[in-house]
């Protein structure tokens, strides 16, 4: 009887003290939720979606508007606090807008993934598709860095943050309804659609946490 009572007490205490998986989202304005009320930004909406799926997770917003891959690399060490269990990396858009050499961007992302690897943290790398403004060679090099780095480090990959929006048949309507006026950042509805599409990959990331 005493043994059963002790076992029951242990079980109750263990459940009560169980901690959610902590996922840091290291990114730029797309992660930070630029131009939207706080509750409609990418991280809060993704947090809500994950909770609806029954995931015990705490998603931390480490997005900084205007940040580049170099800025992400400079922040990664203090972003990865001891309690962080997994990492989402969404960077590169500002590098592309500024015409940063893809080799430099790739090197910065490599440094971020190395930092996560040193902590044995699972990673979801979120890519972007470059515009053709800087020519086909630039676009090819930029687009290739995400899948190649994901393969090198064995990370999960979501190839293009905007894939669910750019894949819509009526692009004029998509830009009008799913993007903000600047044409760069998603609207609240755009964020909701992006979260629904990327959400299953984030669940896979959580499942990789040991």
């Amino acid at each position: 009887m005493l043994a059963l009572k002790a076992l029951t007490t242990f079980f109750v205490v263990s459940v009560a003290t169980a901690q959610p998986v902590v996922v840091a989202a290291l990114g730029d304005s797309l992660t930070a939720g630029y131009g939207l009320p706080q509750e409609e930004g990418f991280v809060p909406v993704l947090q809500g979606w994950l909770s609806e799926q029954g995931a015990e997770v705490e998603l931390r917003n480490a997005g900084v508007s205007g940040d580049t891959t170099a800025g992400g690399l400079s922040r990664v060490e203090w972003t990865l606090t001891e309690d962080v269990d997994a990492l989402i990396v969404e960077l590169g858009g500002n590098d592309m807008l500024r015409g940063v050499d893809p080799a430099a961007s790739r090197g910065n992302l490599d440094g971020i993934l190395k930092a996560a690897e040193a902590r044995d943290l699972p990673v979801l790398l979120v890519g972007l598709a470059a515009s053709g403004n800087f020519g086909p060679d630039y676009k090819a090099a930029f687009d290739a860095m995400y899948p190649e780095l994901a393969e090198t480090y064995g990370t999960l990959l979501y190839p293009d943050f905007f894939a669910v929006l750019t894949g819509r048949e009526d692009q004029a309507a998509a830009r009008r309804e799913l993007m903000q006026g600047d044409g760069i950042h998603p609207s609240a509805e755009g964020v909701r659609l992006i979260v629904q599409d990327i959400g299953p990959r984030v669940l896979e990331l959580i499942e990789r946490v040991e």
Side-chain angles (χ1 to χ4, degrees):
M1 184 67 176
L2 289 175
L4 178 59
K5 183 177 180 180
L7 180 61
T8 302
T9 301
F10 174 78
F11 177 76
V12 171
V13 171
S14 296
V15 171
T17 58
Q19 297 297 312
V21 172
V22 177
V23 180
L26 180 68
D28 51 34
S29 56
L30 299 177
T31 295
Y34 176 87
L36 296 170
Q38 182 177 352
E39 68 275 9
E40 295 181 350
F42 175 72
V43 171
V45 174
L46 179 56
Q47 176 76 70
W49 186 91
L50 292 169
S51 296
E52 289 173 1
Q53 311 312 307
E56 295 289 335
V57 59
E58 176 190 336
L59 199 57
R60 293 184 180 171
N61 193 341
V64 173
S65 294
D67 213 2
T68 61
T69 56
L73 179 59
S74 72
R75 295 190 291 118
V76 67
E77 290 295 344
W78 55 264
T79 297
L80 297 180
T81 54
E82 290 186 2
D83 58 343
V84 170
D85 301 304
L87 180 67
I88 298 172
V89 179
E90 176 281 305
L91 287 163
N94 290 305
D95 296 52
M96 178 182 62
L97 290 174
R98 300 175 189 183
V100 173
D101 184 347
S105 301
R106 184 188 186 111
N108 294 328
L109 290 172
D110 184 85
I112 292 170
L113 296 178
K114 272 191 173 69
E117 184 180 60
R119 288 274 311 279
D120 198 26
L121 298 179
V123 176
L124 170 59
L125 181 60
V126 180
L128 285 169
S131 67
N133 293 353
F134 297 101
D137 291 343
Y138 184 99
K139 178 172 174 56
F142 186 93
D143 291 355
M145 68 183 178
Y146 296 104
E148 290 175 0
L149 284 168
E151 182 176 1
T152 297
Y153 284 92
T155 74
L156 292 169
L157 174 68
Y158 186 78
D160 182 3
F161 185 86
F162 289 106
V164 71
L165 307 188
T166 57
R168 295 174 78 90
E169 185 174 346
D170 189 342
Q171 279 299 292
R175 285 192 295 272
R176 184 173 61 252
E177 299 167 7
L178 304 177
M179 298 294 290
Q180 296 181 41
D182 61 10
I184 296 174
H185 300 93
S187 66
E189 177 62 13
V191 168
R192 187 182 68 80
L193 293 175
I194 290 167
V195 163
Q196 289 178 351
D197 200 59
I198 199 174
R201 284 308 246 176
V202 180
L203 287 176
E204 288 183 53
L205 177 68
I206 294 168
E207 290 172 0
R208 290 193 174 193
V209 174
E210 296 180 354

